[in-house]
Amino acid sequence: MPDAASQPQQPEKLDLRSMDIAEARQQELLRLFPEIRTEGGKLDFDRLKLALGQAVDVGRERYGMNWPGKADCFKTIQTPSMGTLRPCREESVNWDTTENLIIEGDNLEVLKLLQKSYLGKVKMIYIDPPYNTGSDFIYPDNYSESLDTYLEYTGQADSEGKKFGTNTEADGRFHSKWMNMMFPRLYLARNLLREDVVIFVSIDDHECTNLLRLCDEVFGEENRIACVANVNNPKGRSDDKYVATAHESLVIYKRAEVDLGGWEPPDKVTRRYNKADTAGRPYREIDLRKTGDADKREDRPNMFYFFVYNTKTSSLKASRESAAGPDEVIIRPARDDDSDGRWRWSLDEANKNIRELIAKWMPVRKMWGVFEKDFLEADERVKPTSVWALKEVNSERGTEQFLELGFDKEDFSRPKPVGLLRRILDIGTSKREDIVLDFFAGSGVTAQAVLEANAADGGSRRFVLVQLPEETDRPGFRTIVDVTKERVRRVLKKLQADDAEPLLPKSGGDLNDGFRVFKLDRSGFDSWESTVPTDGSSLEQQLEIHVEHIREGRSESDLLFEILLKSGFPVTTPVETLTLASKKVYSVAGGALMLCLERPLTMEVIRAIADKKPERVVCLDAGFAGNDQLKTNAVQIFKTKGVGSFKTV
């Protein structure tokens, strides 16, 4: 019998599943702790505990969070998706130049499909999930979520059972069902985030406590930044029984250390900078004396010293000595009761920055004081507070902005105000090509905020929106995602009309000037079904499917973008169409990947692709038309030319 080395080499099969989360985590653990690998390639958790210097008594009670269905959540997370995202060019705007995305589909499946291509690339997430008020969210009522569930809900497959509906308080698992919906989505979303990122979640009192616990579990309690009180209804809700609720919460978490941005200072702050130096830089005067806590001399003895001010020459110096000469006054840090206080700066710092200090008589306190020049920088930012009571975050403003775009109030209920998202973008993104993800997109207010922010500061932020096509009864809008797409179209037209330079170029142009639409669907490739019965008739049917394993009705574009997605490339990656040896070949990301979906393949096109020396190559298995010799030769040719990976699908 010939040995394995003499067997004809075959290309690998392209994995059409979304990323296997559990396997990826295991491989990362093995990379960090190779000593925990067992003989069978499994993980030895006792060795892991030893490697971490820990001994755990599994018999003791521990602090933690549990709820009915949590174990099933992990099964849901770890079940790869066999779906795909099909391009919809006719519903898009500026398809060829934009890197913005609107994805129509169940966000759980979509988040799974984005794992390979957007892993660690998203800069900021904002979501406004269902608040679980008893009537406002859609979910599969048996909680075994899958692509089939979504297709049945959207009428793309027949169903006898699985339906989407609302969560009522009469249900005995009211809160746990909401948590079962949120946990897998937050878990998968975390994988997409860069290290220096933040996630913002709007919520009200119905599930705020549970949301915080879920986020503590997913992101870590140490990564909680704040739970902001967002005053969106200053008058309060008149139908509340005891206390008129005037705010929602905005929960903010980071993934790791992050440099959180700030806001432009409001007028009431800038008005304080009412002086200017010789260079015209505005500044305000701040008392150098420490006030508030720990303001006594004995609290910081080293920060008690004297300033000597010459009233004739206006010169100032700091000293431990209190001696004064002619025309000089001694200034000490006196508290309101005239006892000794202390300064905010050390003696060395005071002398080093003496030119930025001002001595002046204080008529109210009837004494001399020393003041620091606090300059207002051109890009000055102020730190956000834990209460946002701003007119631009008022919920009524959100409805007004929606109506200003020509919609009716009934087209979408209670859209978030654009000002809220603009404030969030200010502290969560930069002007760079930051990706902003919103997987409960609603009417598309996140996209509007991104487009307006880019128009205002010349930025190049990009958005990825995901929205379930929940049906509506509004004329002209079959589903909520239709509202989403139309809102973004109208915003683009408005920005174009408001700007002297067209925002929607006829050809080429900025990547932010439009959006690509993709729709969740089954894979374009029929996969071998391992769960079918093993009788002859069933196996024969499976074999017949794989004679032509491309699903009926799928275009070459559908297959192209599915292969991109499953190969780990974002669906906005540049793709160039080449003609090599009379065959169409797609060059992805400047030749990093080359795809050929032609049939039949020839030795000439194999050699032509190999001569381009791409990193990876993918071809249709059917392109070889059963010619195993051509396939074996292709493996050798690609290997000789240094192609790192050759796969068929």
Side-chain angles (χ1 to χ4, degrees):
M1 180 180 292
D3 59 19
S6 65
Q7 295 294 320
Q9 294 189 8
Q10 296 293 305
E12 296 179 60
K13 290 290 186 181
L14 181 68
D15 190 354
L16 293 173
R17 303 173 301 165
S18 64
M19 189 170 78
D20 189 327
I21 303 295
E23 176 63 22
R25 291 291 172 88
Q26 288 182 36
Q27 293 305 315
E28 181 64 13
L29 277 174
L30 289 171
R31 183 185 70 82
L32 294 171
F33 306 102
E35 67 270 27
I36 70 174
R37 185 192 300 272
T38 66
E39 187 175 3
K42 303 296 183 181
L43 304 184
D44 187 324
F45 289 101
D46 288 334
R47 292 182 190 172
L48 178 60
K49 294 170 190 173
L50 289 172
L52 295 173
Q54 296 179 359
V56 179
D57 182 358
V58 296
R60 286 191 178 180
E61 295 181 352
R62 295 185 188 85
Y63 176 81
M65 185 185 185
N66 220 331
W67 67 89
K70 183 177 181 181
D72 290 333
C73 284
F74 283 101
K75 293 178 183 177
T76 299
I77 291 166
Q78 294 165 6
T79 302
S81 174
M82 289 298 294
T84 188
L85 300 179
R86 298 180 66 183
C88 188
R89 184 182 286 264
E90 63 275 13
E91 295 183 23
S92 306
V93 175
N94 284 351
W95 174 278
D96 293 324
T97 59
T98 185
E99 291 194 24
N100 295 317
L101 293 178
I102 298 179
I103 302 173
E104 178 179 311
D106 171 30
N107 52 20
L108 182 68
E109 287 291 310
V110 172
L111 287 169
K112 288 182 180 182
L113 291 172
L114 296 181
Q115 294 293 304
K116 288 182 180 179
S117 53
Y118 283 87
L119 188 71
K121 294 180 180 178
V122 173
K123 178 64 173 72
M124 191 198 92
I125 292 177
Y126 169 78
I127 55 173
D128 182 25
Y131 288 0
N132 204 19
T133 59
S135 60
D136 67 346
F137 83 48
I138 304 288
Y139 61 91
D141 55 14
N142 67 354
Y143 287 92
S144 58
E145 297 192 51
S146 67
L147 180 63
D148 288 337
T149 309
Y150 167 74
L151 295 174
E152 289 159 3
Y153 167 69
T154 54
Q156 299 177 58
D158 294 331
S159 172
E160 295 291 332
K162 298 173 189 170
K163 297 293 180 184
F164 283 52
T166 56
N167 194 23
T168 65
E169 293 189 29
D171 194 303
R173 295 175 63 188
F174 179 67
H175 292 291
S176 59
K177 283 186 175 182
W178 185 86
M179 295 166 75
N180 289 333
M181 186 270 293
M182 288 296 297
F183 184 76
R185 289 161 171 83
L186 290 170
Y187 191 101
L188 292 168
R190 181 188 179 278
N191 292 341
L192 303 179
L193 291 170
R194 288 166 27 181
E195 288 298 317
D196 60 333
V197 296
V198 282
I199 177 170
F200 300 81
V201 186
S202 289
I203 201 70
D204 71 1
D205 287 347
H206 285 85
E207 295 292 354
C208 186
T209 301
N210 285 328
L211 176 65
L212 288 168
R213 290 173 176 169
L214 287 177
C215 288
D216 284 348
E217 179 123 345
V218 174
F219 299 98
E221 186 176 357
E222 69 280 5
N223 289 320
R224 184 191 297 184
I225 293 177
C227 182
V228 171
N230 180 40
V231 182
N232 65 335
N233 184 4
K235 297 177 183 178
R237 290 201 302 252
S238 58
D239 54 347
D240 285 343
K241 187 173 182 180
Y242 297 111
V243 176
T245 303
H247 78 286
E248 291 180 342
S249 294
L250 185 66
V251 172
I252 309 175
Y253 279 75
K254 58 186 174 68
R255 179 165 182 178
E257 284 307 309
V258 61
D259 183 14
L260 201 64
W263 295 339
E264 290 187 8
D267 290 341
K268 66 180 181 181
V269 171
T270 56
R271 281 198 298 267
R272 300 172 190 166
Y273 294 81
N274 53 4
K275 294 178 173 58
D277 66 2
T278 55
R281 294 186 301 164
Y283 70 87
R284 61 175 177 167
E285 295 174 350
I286 302 177
D287 196 341
L288 195 64
R289 181 176 65 90
K290 176 71 172 71
T291 58
D293 295 336
D295 65 338
K296 299 175 183 177
R297 178 176 181 174
E298 54 265 33
D299 292 325
R300 296 289 297 275
N302 287 338
M303 298 183 79
F304 175 85
Y305 49 88
F306 301 96
F307 281 97
V308 181
Y309 177 62
N310 190 306
T311 59
K312 193 171 185 177
T313 62
S314 299
S315 62
L316 188 67
K317 62 181 179 180
S319 173
R320 296 287 181 192
E321 304 297 328
S322 60
D327 302 316
E328 291 182 338
V329 295
I330 300 297
I331 307 173
R332 69 181 178 91
R335 301 173 71 237
D336 291 339
D337 61 3
D338 203 39
S339 62
D340 287 342
R342 70 174 182 88
W343 303 108
R344 292 187 290 107
W345 290 1
S346 68
L347 178 61
D348 288 343
E349 187 177 4
N351 279 315
K352 181 180 179 182
N353 299 286
I354 201 73
R355 292 185 178 182
E356 301 301 328
L357 296 176
I358 302 168
K360 60 188 293 186
W361 175 255
M362 298 180 292
V364 175
R365 297 188 67 201
K366 294 183 173 54
M367 63 188 304
W368 286 87
V370 177
F371 293 82
E372 167 197 1
K373 289 181 181 178
D374 178 38
F375 289 93
L376 178 65
E377 302 297 335
D379 58 350
E380 184 80 24
R381 288 290 186 268
V382 295
K383 186 181 295 185
T385 66
S386 60
V387 177
W388 296 6
L390 310 162
K391 63 181 180 180
E392 60 262 42
V393 303
N394 192 309
S395 59
E396 292 182 359
R397 186 69 187 115
T399 300
E400 291 170 3
Q401 291 163 336
F402 190 62
L403 300 180
E404 287 168 1
L405 291 170
F407 291 95
D408 292 331
K409 190 174 182 179
E410 292 76 20
D411 289 338
F412 191 86
S413 176
R414 298 185 298 278
K416 283 287 185 287
V418 179
L420 172 63
L421 271 297
R422 289 290 299 273
R423 290 282 181 171
I424 290 172
L425 290 173
D426 280 347
I427 61 177
T429 67
S430 65
K431 295 181 182 181
R432 299 187 301 272
E433 296 177 5
D434 290 343
I435 298 175
V436 178
L437 171 64
D438 182 350
F439 51 91
F440 286 98
S443 71
V445 66
T446 297
Q448 180 171 350
V450 167
L451 293 169
E452 289 186 1
N454 287 341
D457 62 18
S460 54
R461 304 168 188 84
R462 293 169 281 172
F463 62 78
V464 177
L465 305 188
V466 185
Q467 176 57 44
L468 185 75
E470 181 184 347
E471 292 186 359
T472 72
D473 57 1
R474 300 300 300 156
F477 302 112
R478 186 180 61 85
T479 67
I480 286 179
V481 75
D482 292 333
V483 177
T484 311
K485 291 178 285 192
E486 182 57 24
R487 177 172 188 160
V488 183
R489 292 189 194 102
R490 295 183 187 184
V491 169
L492 286 165
K493 290 179 181 178
K494 181 178 182 296
L495 290 173
Q496 180 182 15
D498 291 345
D499 200 278
E501 296 295 327
L503 290 178
L504 302 181
K506 293 181 181 178
S507 63
D510 188 88
L511 57 84
N512 292 294
D513 300 336
F515 58 88
R516 292 187 177 189
V517 175
F518 285 83
K519 299 186 178 184
L520 177 65
D521 205 340
R522 296 187 192 278
S523 170
F525 301 94
D526 284 314
S527 59
W528 182 271
E529 180 57 66
S530 61
T531 60
V532 299
T534 55
D535 59 275
S537 176
S538 298
L539 289 175
E540 183 179 354
Q541 187 176 1
Q542 282 281 294
L543 290 170
E544 287 177 358
I545 289 175
H546 281 77
V547 171
E548 177 53 70
H549 69 297
I550 296 176
R551 198 176 297 276
E552 185 178 353
R554 296 304 169 92
S555 67
E556 189 169 298
S557 180
D558 291 335
L559 303 182
L560 166 65
F561 282 100
E562 178 167 1
I563 293 171
L564 282 185
L565 192 66
K566 303 298 176 61
S567 298
F569 289 89
V571 289
T572 55
T573 303
V575 178
E576 183 183 4
T577 303
L578 307 176
T579 301
L580 301 178
S582 301
K583 301 289 185 180
K584 185 191 296 184
V585 178
Y586 296 102
S587 176
V588 180
L593 170 68
M594 299 196 81
L595 302 173
C596 186
L597 305 178
E598 294 270 35
R599 290 184 282 185
L601 292 169
T602 63
M603 184 62 72
E604 289 73 23
V605 73
I606 295 296
R607 289 197 176 102
I609 293 173
D611 287 340
K612 295 289 184 179
K613 297 184 178 179
E615 296 173 17
R616 291 186 270 174
V617 175
V618 175
C619 298
L620 285 181
D621 193 68
F624 291 96
N627 188 338
D628 289 337
Q629 183 178 355
L630 177 61
K631 190 182 292 186
T632 301
N633 288 337
V635 172
Q636 296 303 321
I637 290 170
F638 288 134
K639 183 182 293 185
T640 301
K641 291 291 186 176
V643 175
S645 169
F646 169 42
K647 296 182 179 181
T648 60
V649 60

